[in-house]
Amino acid sequence: MWSIKLGCFCFDLNSFYLSTLLYLRGQFLPRVTAALQASFSSHSCQYKSLTSKWKYDYDLVVIGGGSGGLACSKEAAQLGQKVAVLDYVEPSLKGTKWGLGGTCVNVGCIPKKLMHQAGLLGTAVKDAKKYGWQIPGPIQHDWVTMAEAVQNHVRSLNWGHRVQLQDKKVKYLNIKGSLVNEHTVRGLTKAGKEMTMTAKNIVIATGGRPKYPTNVPGAMEHGVTSDDIFWLKKSPGKTTARLLTWCLSDVALECAGFLTGIGLDTTVMVRSIALRGFDQQMAGLVTDYMEAYGTKFAWECIPKRVEKLSSGALQVTWTDTKADQEHKDTYDSVLWAVGRAPETKALGLDKLGMQLNKETGKIIVGADESTSVPNIYAFGDIGEGRPELTPTAIKAGKLLARRLAGQSTELMNYDNVPTTVFTPLEYGCVGLSEEEAEKRHGKDGLEVFHAFYKPLEFTVAERDANQCYLKVVCERGGDQRILGLHFTGPNAGEVTQGFALGFQCGATYSHLLSTVGIHPTCAEELTKVNITKRSGLDATVTGC
Amino acid sequence: MAILIQLTRTHTPSWFTIKKQLFSTFRRHEKTIRRSMASDPSTGEPTRFDFLVIGGGSGGLAGARRAAELGAKTAVIENHKLGGTCVNVGCVPKKVMWNAAVHAEYLHDHSDYGFDVENVRFSWETLKAKRDAYVSHLNRIYRNNLDKAKIQTIHGHATFTNDPEPTVEVNGRKYTAPHILIATGGQPSVLSDAEVPGAHLGITSDGFFELERLPKRSVIVGAGYIAVEMAGILSTLGSKTSLVIRQTGVLRNFDAFISTNCTKELQNTGVDLWKNSQVTSVSKKDSGLEVTIVTKDPEKKNDEEKISTIQEVDCLLWAIGRQPNTSGLNLTELGVDTDERGHIVVDEFQNTSRSGIYAVGDVCGKALLTPVAIAAGRKLAHRLFENKKDSKLDYSSIPTVVFSHPPIGTVGLTEEEAVKLKGKENVKIYKTSFTPMYYALTTRKSPCIMKLVCVGKEETVMGLHMQGLGCDEMLQGFAVAIKMGATKADFDRTVAIHPTSSEEFVTMR
């Protein structure tokens, strides 16, 4: 039986039909089943759990139906817990709203990757000509066709998530949740109806939302954020994506990348450096590639104001800090990607005295995702110091559910988290950046192997491969354990996953070398890398 | 450019300088110096090297270059273009063609992603010209690399002489070395006209790379990976393609999961599959070749053989296997053992039955892959010239990719092999199938299938098999981890990269 990959999860078509039927029959049947299930499972459960079932409405209430919240609630339900998940999407300033599934599904990874694919196909048309295709005329891209297809896919995912919750007997409530005390959650429906529910444990997984620069007049009135870009009804036209990189905002570059790819005139404004927190050599290659690809960059520039002209165009005024000069230009759209803020406003955390990080506003959490308030846990983007990544949220959510159900004591390991930036030239990495490795081990304590390689698909396409690069940062002594692995190139996301597994297993440089390469691929270059930075030799790969 | 610059910077090793001084009178002619080192046919005294390599393909060149780096005076004998199968008629031009075919697939998807791409025409001629130019470029790089390493290139066909000391003769000149490496590779097997009348009217994968036009009607014979790749490329680029296989599925030595899926995908992508079939004769007509095929399902014993013909075929391609290039080497006389199929028999250190003679790569008939030959050649060089006695290639867990549509990646044991080796009760299988997210917007869909073969209580992952979009680039890292002995728990502990297809391997349940 085929299952369909729905971004964050897979589900079986059989159960899809089954649960669709259940759903069509209304809420009644599942509720009965859930009750039956609860009474059955309580017999086999410990006495403590039995009392909790009587004492509280739920074993677990999860606030936030994003990647983490859904994973946590489904896992808990599968372990026999009675679970409710509360999800409510506050529309963006521009009025964009969406369904169940959180940032990743609706306004993050999924629509972004799909539009990234569109951008890559824009490049593929150009390459195809070099590969012998005669394609008449200039290629036009229709935003509406793409956006509608993306949005339809996202809606199918929203539906899929609903079905999954139904399937796994998780109570889904489309209400805005807030905390009353350590066992009580208050919910507010769209219509303003209030309800309260009690739970043995409460999990906050409300994630975050993009920020606006509050000190730029006109920014909020005239700009959009990543909450809106994937849901625009018409092409953003000549877009300027402004990027302030005091957080790990790869979103700006990714958006600018696919907008350029589908043929839009796109400028990225950067206050200081791009991809802060990532290896800066790699970040430089990513942006160099984008510049060659056609994305314009305004480095070290700070926007001052945005005004709407009578023509409807947006006039952006900015300061070039390099020359201390003021500039003006007009754009069709302005996309702000200045970072994300935790979604805590509606939660009423202050009343509970929950400890937050004053600067970021994020909830301070322990290794077991516990907050300063007993029985209340928080994880995902809302947790202080946690990576803002879907897979870590999913994994952390599952592990938390298992611990809360008393099935495991395993904690989430937030080290060794691989990630990929889906810019036109993808960048995948796991482990430490070279800078961070240097800080921890000293320059003399490192051996950095690196290579500039040319993907075979670039040769006939006559594409510049100057930014296709990889480096493996190793300990210098001993068996040269790998501290960080970095790769830019086509399919970097697919390339990196397996190496992340090797990294997790404690791979050394010799493990890479002793693995036979797969020829001709880009990934094989990682098993062939042999030039050290220290040697100063040319790291360009020649021949096979 | 970089290569040229480096060339001028290279220092000349001392032995070369001495020769240069000795024969300074001939310095006007670069080549004369080379000739002066060759043997004088009149005296029969062979030219001596430390390391003599027969075959300038992936394995031979890698071994030669590593040996030269380690200080050995080295020569490579090649009778064709440098680079061997991989560069000239294998991996490289094949992958270029596959990339071209992938573009054909993308062109179907463009409108779904919002691009108006219409009235597209394909020019095989343009592609071939660019592919050939790239291959020639690589040939030059190899040549430069040899020159840079001060390795002598001897052009011609090598034959072992009957001299007491192993000696090779090329164009009437003799060469010898204490260590001689045979890395002559292989070539596509062909059928004789006696076996199949008109067989010579067909081509092989070598001929595929000489095709000047996209065939309108292609017939590929064979079920191995070359047949699968050729059929996929031709069909995707627009040739009406039939694939004739003797049994019911392709890639029969792969995991059954892959074999079944690949057979299905070939049909899904429009390849006309002839199961239980064999070509019995080929004849030339005005409109092209007429290929006669006999089909008989062995399970239906009472059924008559069915005889059919495919008309107007302009490309009949035999992809029925490969055979070692050993003819003309005079191996029997030399005392080098070969197996019944002509492959040179070597031990784990690449030693043949005659001391001082070694073999690597396709000529040995084991794991016919460029990186295997390269690694084996280098390991041997380290053993011979760096005195690393234990230097040998580990032939276990070698990852392979088949550039089918979609590509296949596989490493380690198949389920069948694992069960046979460890017992059914000790083998646990994890599988998943899904449609990659790329296809969320497209009418064209192709599934991705994945399988882990785990063994023992620890659930050590001993096999990983997959077919789907991106599997070609996914495999390498997993191969590293599997070689390290990764268990299912290690897979589970690894954080996913979202959204990718490869993350399914670390989120499998």
Side-chain angles (χ1 to χ4, degrees):
Chain A
M1 174 53 60
W2 294 122
S3 63
I4 298 170
K5 187 174 181 195
L6 289 178
C8 319
F9 64 94
C10 295
F11 70 90
D12 201 270
L13 275 182
N14 257 342
S15 63
F16 180 82
Y17 287 124
L18 195 71
S19 29
T20 310
L21 282 175
L22 287 177
Y23 191 81
L24 291 176
R25 282 203 229 156
Q27 299 286 320
F28 169 70
L29 186 57
R31 213 177 282 166
V32 174
T33 335
L36 278 174
Q37 178 105 359
S39 65
F40 275 128
S41 58
S42 59
H43 287 296
S44 56
C45 281
Q46 289 172 343
Y47 181 67
K48 207 171 117 194
S49 164
L50 195 69
T51 51
S52 79
K53 275 198 167 70
W54 285 343
K55 202 164 152 196
Y56 304 109
D57 299 335
Y58 294 97
D59 291 319
L60 179 66
V61 167
V62 178
I63 308 177
S67 313
L70 291 174
C72 181
S73 56
K74 285 185 293 188
E75 186 77 11
Q78 273 188 313
L79 296 171
Q81 303 253 297
K82 191 180 174 196
V83 188
V85 60
L86 279 56
D87 188 58
Y88 184 87
V89 181
E90 196 72 57
S92 77
L93 270 183
K94 297 284 136 194
T96 313
K97 344 175 248 220
W98 52 86
L100 185 62
T103 303
C104 171
V105 169
N106 295 286
V107 288
C109 328
I110 302 294
K112 173 195 78 187
K113 179 91 188 269
L114 288 170
M115 292 197 180
H116 168 65
Q117 297 286 8
L120 292 184
L121 284 174
T123 312
V125 180
K126 292 177 199 151
D127 288 353
K129 291 182 183 171
K130 301 277 168 65
Y131 271 96
W133 266 273
Q134 291 146 0
I135 302 166
I139 308 296
Q140 297 294 323
H141 181 264
D142 180 40
W143 173 273
V144 177
T145 307
M146 173 188 72
E148 276 181 4
V150 170
Q151 291 156 18
N152 285 337
H153 179 63
V154 169
R155 287 192 191 97
S156 77
L157 297 183
N158 296 147
W159 169 249
H161 280 301
R162 288 281 288 270
V163 169
Q164 277 213 333
L165 290 182
Q166 193 94 5
D167 247 15
K168 303 222 157 114
K169 317 280 187 279
V170 176
K171 178 75 179 163
Y172 162 64
L173 296 162
N174 182 209
I175 56 175
K176 200 192 293 188
S178 60
L179 297 161
V180 179
N181 62 38
E182 55 191 65
H183 285 299
T184 313
V185 174
R186 177 185 296 126
L188 195 65
T189 69
K190 213 170 165 186
K193 216 179 99 191
E194 224 182 74
M195 56 165 89
T196 53
M197 63 199 82
T198 56
K200 186 172 171 234
N201 290 304
I202 299 167
V203 168
I204 308 171
T206 46
R209 297 289 289 266
K211 285 196 279 204
Y212 276 95
T214 45
N215 57 347
V216 180
M220 294 216 243
E221 294 91 315
H222 308 306
V224 296
T225 67
S226 59
D227 273 0
D228 310 295
I229 186 84
F230 307 110
W231 294 88
L232 294 180
K233 297 267 183 298
K234 61 181 182 60
S235 168
K238 186 179 173 187
T239 303
T240 175
R242 176 174 178 262
L243 163 69
L244 273 178
T245 55
W246 49 267
C247 74
L248 309 183
S249 184
D250 34 352
V251 179
L253 288 185
E254 292 175 328
C255 289
F258 74 70
L259 292 171
T260 310
I262 60 170
L264 300 180
D265 178 356
T266 309
T267 306
V268 183
M269 208 169 273
V270 188
R271 190 177 64 173
S272 54
I273 57 168
L275 296 177
R276 187 179 294 267
F278 286 94
D279 187 286
Q280 281 304 298
Q281 185 193 9
M282 304 308 287
L285 293 169
V286 166
T287 51
D288 284 355
Y289 182 90
M290 284 180 72
E291 288 202 83
Y293 185 74
T295 310
K296 295 169 186 153
F297 280 81
W299 293 100
E300 294 171 50
C301 289
I302 300 175
K304 291 189 78 175
R305 62 185 170 274
V306 182
E307 293 147 306
K308 193 161 198 163
L309 304 178
S310 53
S311 64
L314 301 176
Q315 180 174 275
V316 182
T317 310
W318 72 88
T319 309
D320 182 340
T321 59
K322 297 185 295 292
D324 198 22
Q325 274 174 342
E326 201 171 283
H327 296 280
K328 269 186 191 140
D329 204 348
T330 57
Y331 298 91
D332 298 319
S333 309
V334 177
L335 168 76
W336 302 101
V338 296
R340 300 177 66 83
E343 188 74 342
T344 53
K345 285 187 296 290
L347 291 171
L349 300 179
D350 41 342
K351 278 178 281 175
L352 267 77
M354 189 174 286
Q355 258 192 317
L356 305 179
N357 178 307
K358 283 199 185 71
E359 219 170 290
T360 60
K362 291 188 177 186
I363 300 172
I364 294 180
V365 285
D368 61 350
E369 326 295 353
S370 60
T371 68
S372 60
V373 181
N375 308 316
I376 302 185
Y377 300 81
F379 73 100
D381 291 10
I382 200 155
E384 175 60 30
R386 298 294 189 232
E388 295 182 359
L389 293 169
T390 292
T392 48
I394 291 177
K395 222 175 166 66
K398 283 185 185 167
L399 289 170
L400 175 61
R402 281 177 217 163
R403 289 196 303 271
L404 293 179
Q407 300 276 330
S408 151
T409 52
E410 190 187 343
L411 295 174
M412 174 67 189
N413 177 6
Y414 286 100
D415 293 333
N416 308 349
V417 173
T419 186
T420 296
V421 185
F422 291 102
T423 35
L425 187 69
E426 296 179 10
Y427 163 38
C429 61
V430 60
L432 303 179
S433 66
E434 191 177 341
E435 296 92 335
E436 186 59 34
E438 229 168 71
K439 228 185 269 170
R440 295 194 197 176
H441 299 264
K443 211 178 169 76
D444 287 337
L446 297 182
E447 196 70 274
V448 181
F449 296 91
H450 68 155
F452 284 97
Y453 69 98
K454 185 157 193 165
L456 186 56
E457 47 268 54
F458 278 32
T459 54
V460 170
E462 295 165 31
R463 271 163 72 184
D464 184 6
N466 285 338
Q467 289 87 25
C468 293
Y469 178 70
L470 61 96
K471 71 175 168 188
V472 185
V473 182
C474 302
E475 277 179 354
R476 194 174 178 192
D479 50 6
Q480 295 186 305
R481 193 169 60 92
I482 299 170
L483 302 168
L485 186 144
H486 305 263
F487 178 93
T488 51
N491 299 305
E494 304 294 2
V495 170
T496 309
Q497 186 71 72
F499 288 96
L501 168 63
F503 188 81
Q504 172 73 36
C505 297
T508 63
Y509 172 62
S510 65
H511 284 128
L512 292 183
L513 281 206
S514 63
T515 306
V516 174
I518 304 165
H519 192 60
T521 62
C522 296
E524 72 172 319
E525 300 298 341
L526 277 159
T527 64
K528 289 160 61 184
V529 62
N530 63 82
I531 303 287
T532 62
K533 274 199 173 176
R534 190 182 311 283
S535 72
L537 293 173
D538 183 3
T540 311
V541 176
T542 58
C544 284
Chain B
M1 265 321 273
I3 298 148
L4 286 177
I5 295 160
Q6 280 189 351
L7 254 181
T8 54
R9 278 201 218 120
T10 323
H11 296 293
T12 320
S14 53
W15 65 266
F16 198 77
T17 322
I18 295 160
K19 293 266 178 193
K20 250 185 176 171
Q21 285 161 350
L22 271 173
F23 297 92
S24 58
T25 42
F26 301 120
R27 280 182 72 179
R28 277 181 300 157
H29 313 285
E30 260 286 308
K31 281 183 183 158
T32 328
I33 299 164
R34 287 226 170 79
R35 252 178 243 145
S36 70
M37 299 195 300
S39 62
D40 183 348
S42 56
T43 64
E45 195 54 42
T47 309
R48 290 187 173 275
F49 293 94
D50 298 328
F51 193 40
L52 190 54
V53 178
I54 309 172
S58 308
L61 291 176
R65 284 179 63 193
R66 191 54 57 89
E69 272 172 40
L70 296 169
K73 183 184 167 191
T74 305
V76 171
I77 306 167
E78 172 59 54
N79 66 348
H80 191 63
K81 289 179 191 164
L82 284 176
T85 301
C86 173
V87 169
N88 296 293
V89 287
C91 335
V92 171
K94 180 265 308 280
K95 176 116 190 238
V96 169
M97 297 308 281
W98 183 79
N99 282 334
V102 168
H103 277 293
E105 296 181 302
Y106 286 158
L107 287 166
H108 291 291
D109 305 334
H110 272 99
S111 61
D112 292 325
Y113 270 92
F115 293 93
D116 70 331
V117 179
E118 277 168 6
N119 304 321
V120 177
R121 280 184 49 232
F122 174 61
S123 160
W124 175 281
E125 294 77 3
T126 307
L127 177 60
K128 179 168 188 296
K130 298 190 77 166
R131 191 191 74 210
D132 289 350
Y134 179 61
V135 168
S136 306
H137 168 70
L138 289 180
N139 294 145
R140 280 193 300 277
I141 287 181
Y142 278 104
R143 182 62 206 230
N144 286 337
N145 282 344
L146 288 185
D147 289 349
K148 218 161 54 180
K150 302 287 176 255
I151 295 168
Q152 191 183 337
T153 315
I154 301 161
H155 195 86
H157 198 93
T159 308
F160 281 96
T161 63
N162 296 331
D163 293 274
E165 184 184 25
T167 302
V168 171
E169 194 176 304
V170 185
N171 300 332
R173 290 171 201 275
K174 285 182 175 179
Y175 305 89
T176 187
H179 305 291
I180 302 178
L181 173 62
I182 305 173
T184 46
Q187 57 179 306
S189 305
V190 287
L191 292 173
S192 68
D193 279 14
E195 289 163 291
V196 173
H200 74 277
L201 295 165
I203 58 169
T204 63
S205 60
D206 287 359
F208 171 81
F209 296 109
E210 286 166 22
L211 290 175
E212 295 292 343
R213 255 165 263 98
L214 173 69
K216 283 200 178 71
R217 187 73 179 87
S218 308
V219 174
I220 319 286
V221 188
Y225 82 95
I226 297 173
V228 167
E229 290 182 337
M230 294 287 133
I233 290 167
L234 283 167
S235 169
T236 311
L237 288 177
S239 179
K240 169 88 185 123
T241 304
S242 301
L243 181 64
V244 182
I245 60 175
R246 293 201 328 186
Q247 296 186 27
T248 53
V250 295
L251 303 178
R252 286 199 324 276
N253 54 345
F254 284 61
D255 192 284
F257 190 51
I258 298 295
S259 170
T260 308
N261 191 66
C262 185
T263 308
K264 202 166 71 189
E265 279 302 303
L266 276 167
Q267 288 170 296
N268 284 350
T269 54
V271 172
D272 166 44
L273 193 64
W274 292 66
K275 295 179 182 179
N276 300 313
S277 301
Q278 270 174 281
V279 172
T280 50
S281 70
V282 187
S283 58
K284 197 168 187 170
K285 300 273 173 334
D286 286 345
S287 56
L289 301 179
E290 184 179 282
V291 180
T292 308
I293 297 168
V294 57
T295 305
K296 170 128 177 46
D297 188 340
E299 297 197 348
K300 294 174 187 159
K301 293 224 160 50
N302 301 328
D303 278 16
E304 295 255 317
E305 282 187 347
K306 202 177 112 205
I307 294 169
S308 332
T309 59
I310 302 178
Q311 317 267 348
E312 299 182 22
V313 173
D314 50 356
C315 171
L316 167 67
L317 196 154
W318 301 101
I320 50 173
R322 291 181 67 83
Q323 62 192 52
N325 285 334
T326 48
S327 67
L329 282 174
N330 198 17
L331 290 182
T332 337
E333 206 67 36
L334 185 67
V336 166
D337 291 346
T338 54
D339 68 12
E340 68 281 5
R341 295 187 53 210
H343 296 121
I344 295 178
V345 179
V346 288
D347 67 8
E348 55 187 338
F349 290 97
Q350 315 297 146
N351 293 316
T352 67
S353 52
R354 171 94 191 243
S355 117
I357 311 279
Y358 318 89
V360 299
D362 291 7
V363 78
C364 309
K366 195 170 161 191
L368 311 186
L369 295 163
T370 290
V372 171
I374 291 176
R378 287 184 182 154
K379 294 276 183 196
L380 177 68
H382 283 286
R383 184 165 73 84
L384 298 179
F385 303 106
E386 209 187 17
N387 209 19
K388 287 198 170 165
K389 290 199 172 60
D390 299 329
S391 175
K392 61 168 180 174
L393 178 65
D394 176 5
Y395 280 82
S396 68
S397 300
I398 292 170
T400 345
V401 162
V402 178
F403 288 98
S404 45
H405 299 268
I408 292 166
T410 164
V411 60
L413 301 181
T414 65
E415 182 179 346
E416 297 88 328
E417 287 168 344
V419 167
K420 206 188 250 174
L421 228 62
K422 310 281 176 180
K424 202 172 168 57
E425 65 285 1
N426 295 316
V427 175
K428 177 138 193 220
I429 302 296
Y430 294 86
K431 278 197 269 195
T432 183
S433 323
F434 58 93
T435 305
M437 207 176 78
Y438 172 84
Y439 298 112
L441 307 196
T442 61
T443 40
R444 183 179 72 93
K445 313 247 186 232
S446 165
C448 184
I449 64 162
M450 293 173 166
K451 178 175 185 174
L452 289 180
V453 180
C454 306
V455 170
K457 245 200 201 117
E458 297 286 306
E459 295 197 7
T460 306
V461 179
M462 299 196 71
L464 181 150
H465 311 277
M466 56 180 158
Q467 181 173 22
L469 184 71
C471 287
D472 48 335
E473 293 291 355
M474 270 180 230
L475 182 62
Q476 189 75 70
F478 289 103
V480 172
I482 286 172
K483 195 138 180 80
M484 290 173 70
T487 62
K488 180 64 171 61
D490 290 322
F491 274 68
D492 297 342
R493 264 196 289 274
T494 304
V495 176
I497 300 177
H498 189 64
T500 60
S501 287
S502 54
E503 68 177 309
E504 298 299 326
F505 270 123
V506 298
T507 54
M508 257 185 201
R509 274 193 163 177

